[in-house]
Amino acid sequence: MNFILDNKETEKTFQQLLRQIKLRKNGDVSNSLKRQGIAYKLNWGVSVVELRDLAKEIKPDHLLSLKLWNKQWRETMILATLLDEPEKVTEEQMDFWTKSFENREIAEQASANLWVKTKFAFAKAIEWSRGKKHLVRFTGIHLMGRLALTQKNAIDEMFEPFFEELAVLGKDPRLNAVIYRTLIVLGNRSKWLNGQAVELAKTFQMCEQEDTVKLGETLLEELTSNYIPFKK
């Protein structure tokens, strides 16, 4: 996906951001991410907090976001998710970026900062959860959780299709952590969604995979605990 970017003001801001990133480089953070298996083509080790502070000083700009993403530094890609304009994001862009994710950090940042704010979010959460690539499925599940957390006015029925997808994905141990977080958020939205999450947890307990059984046990304990205000 190539873009012709010739806006002088955008180019000026872009270059300013590159300089700011280099000034904030942190080898300790970069090495820590590498030890966690979070690899990038180039990683300056700037904290996400600092990147958010940088983004607050810049007006959202779709063109700038595309330029930042194309640079393919860790920091520019995260900034791209913070500075894009959700209403200008296309399905093509969402699919292109998501299919190019190489680690869970950028998948989570894109999901939380940008994808959840787009009009395609619910559809993409389901579509990506059926993807062939692990990180695409991961992003779909993570996006389900972000939608459950942020879309306060969404009716319960909008989240119902998620459970069918999660029932299948629960058999992949690599996805257990993100499924756990997503189901906990869903289960805290309403009594009905809590019931759906509890039933799915019981289904996990009947699976042959040991990891899935443990996931079900942990979920059931959490979803029926005393802190749930509408517990049956």
Side-chain angles (χ1 to χ4, degrees):
M1 181 180 288
N2 297 316
F3 302 92
I4 300 175
L5 305 176
D6 55 3
N7 182 294
K8 291 183 178 179
E9 286 301 314
T10 298
E11 175 64 18
K12 181 180 178 180
T13 304
F14 174 67
Q15 293 299 333
Q16 289 175 344
L17 284 170
L18 296 187
R19 289 193 290 271
Q20 290 298 319
I21 287 169
K22 291 178 181 179
L23 287 172
R24 290 166 170 77
K25 65 180 180 181
N26 187 320
D28 291 337
V29 173
S30 178
N31 291 331
S32 175
L33 289 169
K34 288 178 182 178
R35 287 194 295 271
Q36 296 175 54
I38 300 175
Y40 290 91
K41 293 177 182 177
L42 184 58
N43 177 2
W44 292 91
V46 182
S47 73
V48 173
V49 172
E50 288 181 288
L51 292 173
R52 289 186 181 278
D53 288 340
L54 273 177
K56 290 176 183 178
E57 300 175 4
I58 308 295
K59 182 180 179 181
D61 185 330
H62 182 58
L63 200 60
L64 176 61
S65 175
L66 297 178
K67 194 175 185 74
L68 286 165
W69 185 266
N70 286 346
K71 187 66 176 176
Q72 289 291 290
W73 294 357
R74 168 183 173 267
E75 289 74 15
T76 60
M77 289 192 290
I78 292 175
L79 281 171
T81 71
L82 291 165
L83 289 171
D84 209 339
E85 300 172 85
E87 68 276 9
K88 294 184 179 180
V89 172
T90 65
E91 286 190 81
E92 180 187 20
Q93 177 188 342
M94 294 177 74
D95 288 333
F96 180 76
W97 286 19
T98 299
K99 289 176 182 177
S100 72
F101 292 162
E102 295 184 351
N103 60 69
R104 66 182 183 275
E105 182 190 41
I106 192 60
E108 291 174 348
Q109 289 295 319
S111 174
N113 300 336
L114 185 57
W115 297 161
V116 73
K117 300 175 183 178
T118 69
K119 61 184 178 182
F120 308 109
F122 276 91
K124 288 301 176 183
I126 294 175
E127 179 184 328
W128 290 338
S129 71
R130 301 171 181 173
K132 294 181 181 180
K133 187 178 178 182
H134 167 68
L135 280 169
V136 173
R137 295 194 298 273
F138 177 95
T139 307
I141 299 167
H142 189 270
L143 183 52
M144 291 177 185
R146 295 304 302 184
L147 287 165
L149 185 66
T150 63
Q151 303 303 301
K152 304 299 185 182
N153 295 325
I155 60 174
D156 286 351
E157 285 76 10
M158 293 182 70
F159 300 95
E160 186 175 7
F162 293 172
F163 291 96
E164 183 176 349
E165 306 302 328
L166 294 171
V168 176
L169 295 165
K171 298 176 182 178
D172 184 347
R174 297 174 299 171
L175 297 171
N176 281 4
V178 68
I179 288 175
Y180 169 81
R181 295 195 301 269
T182 293
L183 282 171
I184 291 298
V185 177
L186 282 166
N188 274 274
R189 274 191 67 95
S190 71
K191 182 176 181 179
W192 185 78
L193 286 173
N194 178 267
Q196 294 290 103
V198 166
E199 289 305 310
L200 183 53
K202 292 177 179 178
T203 299
F204 286 159
Q205 286 184 298
M206 295 186 288
C207 289
E208 296 181 358
Q209 295 94 334
E210 184 177 347
D211 289 322
T212 306
V213 172
K214 290 181 179 179
L215 172 62
E217 292 173 349
T218 305
L219 279 168
L220 190 60
E221 181 178 355
E222 288 288 327
L223 292 166
T224 58
S225 63
N226 290 329
Y227 78 82
I228 301 292
F230 35 75
K231 188 183 70 170
K232 293 180 180 180

